Amino acid sequence: MSRSSTETASFKGKPVRERRHLLILGGTGEARALAAHATAQFARDLRVITSLAGRTRSPAALAGEVRRGGFGGADGLAAYLRATRIDFVIDATHPFAARISATAQQACALLDIPLLTLSRPAWVKEEGDHWIDVADAAEAAIHLPALGHRAFLTIGQRDIAAFAGVGGVHFVVRLVDPPLGALPLASYELLVGRGPFTVADERLIMERHAIDVLVSKASGGASTAAKLAAARVLRIPVIMLRRPPQETRISVAGIEDALAWIERKLEHSQEVVP
Ligand code: NAP
């Protein structure tokens, strides 16, 4: 699929390197940072397009180009990759966005397009942490009443319905966007906010709302880690939803490594014909 170096254009008789096209599957702070660095570092050689699912109403500004909305599964993504002449893909989506990651694996394998996964490092338990590891929101809901009565729910909107049947618990729910309707919870209040948060912010929320249990996804990364430090200090248990398993072939944990991968791909694909 990747364009060959023989497609090199010429200007005034001299070979001009054609820009390669990178698609970043985004929706995370890491994807935003990668787009900023990649556009700055490879401006001459690379067109950078970030794809967003379109869930957040006012996403933070992104360097390079942006497209929004689902592709329509692996076939849809493959059609987009072909039409946009994408040379490389970096999946920098959230560790819990398992469907789009699987879709990217399939579409890139189909077209033989190099795919890199940028996966933020998992959080590591520290002394004083009391984490209850669960498979998903349904299992979290089962454990919750035995652990506390005022829960700080920080798992996004999609899985909240799993807690609908939980009795005797008041929820403090934090979301990036205000929900369009009422949440399916018997007793709750809403906080709207987007990370990064500080430990002081998180501690204040937990103290002000008399939180006695935190529910979190094992998202990893620095942007939302402060709640774990606050829970540690306040000796609050954390119900931690495990990351869904993902089949990744080439994976890096940081922006620097992703940029080095891009650089290698550019060197490999842009050998100018003399
Ligand atoms: P998901 O379950 O893996 O994806 C659901 C569907 O949304 C996909 O099948 C795809 O639709 C579309 N989609 C997802 N990410 C996309 C992207 N970057 N560009 C274009 N289409 C995309 O994902 P999710 O958990 O709903 O997350 C949606 C977005 O929010 C992701 O970009 C992710 O990085 C971000 N996010 C997710 C979480 C989380 O906890 N899940 C947290 C923070 C940010 P089609 O099948 O039609 O292509």
Side-chain angles (χ1 to χ4, degrees), residues 163-250:
F163 298 87
V166 175
V169 176
H170 178 75
F171 292 91
V172 176
V173 182
R174 180 165 65 201
L175 297 173
V176 171
D177 283 321
L180 294 175
L183 297 177
L185 300 170
S187 172
Y188 75 93
E189 61 201 286
L190 195 64
L191 303 178
V192 175
R194 185 201 302 255
F197 303 103
T198 66
V199 178
D201 290 339
E202 300 293 50
R203 186 173 174 167
L204 195 65
I205 290 174
M206 291 183 198
E207 287 178 333
R208 187 173 286 163
H209 294 275
I211 296 298
D212 56 11
V213 58
L214 168 67
V215 186
S216 171
K217 287 176 168 172
S219 302
S223 166
T224 56
K227 61 189 170 186
L228 304 176
R232 188 181 310 127
V233 171
L234 297 172
R235 299 176 179 277
I236 290 171
V238 182
I239 303 180
M240 190 72 85
L241 275 63
R242 213 172 295 150
R243 286 183 178 192
Q246 294 207 11
E247 211 187 285
T248 49
R249 281 180 209 120
I250 309 170

Side-chain angles (χ1 to χ4, degrees), residues 23-44:
L23 176 69
I24 300 173
L25 297 169
T28 58
E30 288 81 357
R32 196 167 61 248
L34 179 63
H37 282 92
T39 48
Q41 192 170 326
F42 307 111
R44 217 166 55 92

Side-chain angles (χ1 to χ4, degrees), residues 71-81 102-108 110-111:
F71 296 99
D75 290 345
L77 176 56
Y80 171 85
L81 296 174
T103 295
Q105 295 280 351
Q106 284 173 41
C108 290
L110 189 71
L111 300 180

Side-chain angles (χ1 to χ4, degrees), residues 26-27 51-53 55 69-73 93-94 97-100 158 217:
S51 172
L52 301 176
R55 303 277 155 77
F71 296 99
T93 56
H94 190 273
R99 252 173 64 192
I100 187 69
R158 196 168 59 179
K217 287 176 168 172

